[in-house]
Structures are given as structure tokens and as C-alpha cells.
Amino acid sequence: MLVLNCKVVITGERKWEITTVKNIRIERNIDTLVDWCEIEIPSKTRWDSERKCPFKYGDIIKVYLGYGEETELAFDGSILRISQINSLKLTCGDRGASTAYLKLPQTGTIIINDFKNYILEITGEKEVINDESIKINKIQIFDTSVGALLSKLYSDYNIRSGFVLRESKPMFYVGRIKNEDIKAVYDVERNVIKNEMYKYREVAQGYDLECISINRKNEQIKESGYFGIPPYKKVTYKYYNLTTKELKDEYNRLLKEFYWRNYAGTITVFGGRLVEKYDLIGIKKNGEKIGIYEVEKNVITFGTTGYRQKIWIGNEKRQG
């Protein structure tokens, strides 16, 4: 029988290793800059024979989860909030939290010659998983924080950013992460605890999708259209200096992202090999493949109810 195993390593004024917890909840989400972790520790826990909590804001925290002797890094971040009402609760954020508070070197209208190098400059990262299809030459930002600029990239251009764990190392990404390998395969009749998927096109939200590109002379080109089931939700994305073909390609990509999938919803599976944002997973039913999907979100829980992953399936990846 496999035995659940966890290790929480907290480093501040000194290093602590915790192996007894009540509950752990980790949320990985492509729609947020920060991934979150909540840890509940029994109130009777003693720290060198004392009950006073030895942790403080900003302490580094790593969470390892698994079975038996085999564990993997599930979270890497820092403590943002401490609560001690009935039990000790730690609320933690990954490096996206500290990145958001960095100051921009320049505000106003910013001319960007090399998007990847610009992101490295403002975040202070040494490397970044960069979406080479991103073409932004100019952006206007009047807030002074890096978090505000990254939020604007998401709201105006559908460019997401954040951190993912790659080989037990936090890696910053901007734009879509393209994976070719399938991380895991789940059969809804065999190794899925709870199946909450549904036929996406039968209930798909209607959209009025509009893509606009403006060049340096302030001239505008546009691609737009309606799809899905009314009422239509207006969605606009803005770009700079795209050609007519590039804008059409971007419109078609977004059209697929919004609509072109057979299934949506969630599956709940056992812990084990943890899946990250943008990982590819295969879904089967009665042994038959029904699709390969990107992971939009994964909520990992560990504690009295066991070790689980609740996975939100995103874009469908078609082969061939």
C-alpha cells in the first residue's frame, strides 16, 4: 500500500522541515500571474519545545508531495500571510508575487525593439520561456509596477505570464508555452476519480471577436466575426504593426482557442505525477482516445481527504 508523504521546507532565520500537516492546497492557473499555496499545520505543533510560530513574511517555502520515498516539488515560493486562529495557516505565493511589485524603468509610451530582452530587463530574470509569435513594438503604460504591465499584456493582447516548474526549477514565461510531449493520459472509466467534462460546443458561449492592429502611422486594420451561441460577448484584442495576413492568422488562432474543442470542464485524478499549466494530457474513454488537451488550471490538494489533482482542460490539440 502506498503511503502519502509530504515535506514542507521553510527557510528564514533558520531552516525548518515539516512532515505533518492537516491540509495543503496548491493552485496553478494560466489566468493569474501568481500561483498560490495554502498550508494548514496542527495547532499543537511545537517548534523546539515552543508553540510560538517561528515563521515570518517573506520566508522561502518549498512543498514536496508524493507517495512513499518518492516526492516531487509541488510549490516554490514565499510566505505572504500567517494566520493562527484555530490552527497555523500559511498563505504563500510563487515568484510571480514578488515580480509584480518590481518597478518599471520607464512608463508612458514604450518602444520595444526586442520583446524577449525587454521582459528579461523588467523582471530581472536570466531566462524566460518566450512565445516567439508575440509581436509588440509599442505599449502605453502609466502605472509604475511590472505587475500592471503584465496585466495589461493579458487584458489587451491575451498574453499570459507567470512561473512554471521545469525540472524542479521555477521558470518565467510570457505568452503561450508550446509542448509536444504528453505529460499524462487519463481514462475517465479507469483512473479518473470524478469526471465533470461536458460537450463544449453544445453550451459554448457566443463571442463577438475583434482583432485590431495599429501601425506607427496610426492606421488600423481589423478582423472580426461572431461565433458560438447568442448572446454574444464582445472581446477585443489590440496589436501593433501586424500585416493583414499576420492579423488574420492571429484571429484564427484565437478563434480556435475560444471555440475549437470537443470537451471542456474538469477531471479529478489521484496525485502522483503532477501536471503543470500548459502541459498536454490525453483523455480516453473506454480505452478510446477522445482528445489531447492543454491544462488550464490544476488545484492540488493533500491532507485528510487524500492526494488529488482537479484539472481544468483547455485548448484541444489536434494531431496530424
Side-chain angles (χ1 to χ4, degrees), residues 103-131:
K103 297 294 183 183
L104 287 172
Q106 176 189 353
T107 58
T109 299
I110 302 170
I111 303 299
I112 302 172
N113 296 317
D114 186 315
F115 185 77
K116 180 178 180 179
N117 283 337
Y118 176 71
I119 292 296
L120 290 173
E121 176 188 355
I122 65 172
T123 60
E125 297 293 323
K126 294 182 179 178
E127 52 186 327
V128 59
I129 303 173
N130 182 49
D131 185 343

Side-chain angles (χ1 to χ4, degrees), residues 181-199:
D181 297 330
I182 298 174
K183 183 72 172 286
V185 177
Y186 304 107
D187 191 320
V188 297
E189 301 295 333
R190 297 178 181 178
N191 57 358
V192 170
I193 300 170
K194 189 174 184 180
N195 174 21
E196 295 178 289
M197 295 191 304
Y198 55 87
K199 279 284 190 178

Side-chain angles (χ1 to χ4, degrees), residues 53-219:
C53 172
F55 313 128
K56 65 180 187 304
Y57 175 90
D59 284 354
I60 302 301
I61 185 164
K62 295 179 185 288
V63 178
Y64 299 85
L65 302 175
Y67 297 95
E69 298 297 319
E70 295 186 7
T71 61
E72 64 177 298
L73 181 64
F75 182 81
D76 187 336
S78 59
I79 297 174
L80 301 181
R81 186 165 62 249
I82 300 173
S83 171
Q84 299 184 77
I85 300 176
N86 296 317
S87 58
L88 175 60
K89 295 181 180 179
L90 306 177
T91 302
C92 314
D94 72 356
R95 278 170 52 182
S98 56
T99 299
Y101 286 103
L102 295 174
K103 297 294 183 183
L104 287 172
Q106 176 189 353
T107 58
T109 299
I110 302 170
I111 303 299
I112 302 172
N113 296 317
D114 186 315
F115 185 77
K116 180 178 180 179
N117 283 337
Y118 176 71
I119 292 296
L120 290 173
E121 176 188 355
I122 65 172
T123 60
E125 297 293 323
K126 294 182 179 178
E127 52 186 327
V128 59
I129 303 173
N130 182 49
D131 185 343
E132 300 294 340
S133 67
I134 296 174
K135 295 182 180 180
I136 295 179
N137 304 109
K138 181 173 68 173
I139 192 169
Q140 285 188 324
I141 182 73
F142 298 99
D143 196 296
T144 60
S145 71
V146 169
L149 184 139
L150 296 176
S151 295
K152 185 176 180 64
L153 289 177
Y154 180 30
S155 62
D156 287 6
Y157 306 100
N158 198 34
I159 296 174
R160 298 175 172 92
S161 54
F163 285 85
V164 291
L165 290 174
R166 288 288 183 267
E167 298 179 354
S168 297
K169 176 183 177 183
M171 289 285 294
F172 188 73
Y173 72 89
V174 58
R176 304 185 65 81
I177 299 177
K178 298 178 181 178
N179 289 312
E180 299 296 332
D181 297 330
I182 298 174
K183 183 72 172 286
V185 177
Y186 304 107
D187 191 320
V188 297
E189 301 295 333
R190 297 178 181 178
N191 57 358
V192 170
I193 300 170
K194 189 174 184 180
N195 174 21
E196 295 178 289
M197 295 191 304
Y198 55 87
K199 279 284 190 178
Y200 180 71
R201 292 180 197 169
E202 295 176 0
V203 295
Q205 162 77 53
Y207 286 97
D208 173 8
L209 177 62
E210 181 179 63
C211 293
I212 299 172
S213 180
I214 302 172
N215 63 22
R216 293 177 183 177
K217 296 181 180 180
N218 213 32
E219 297 169 337

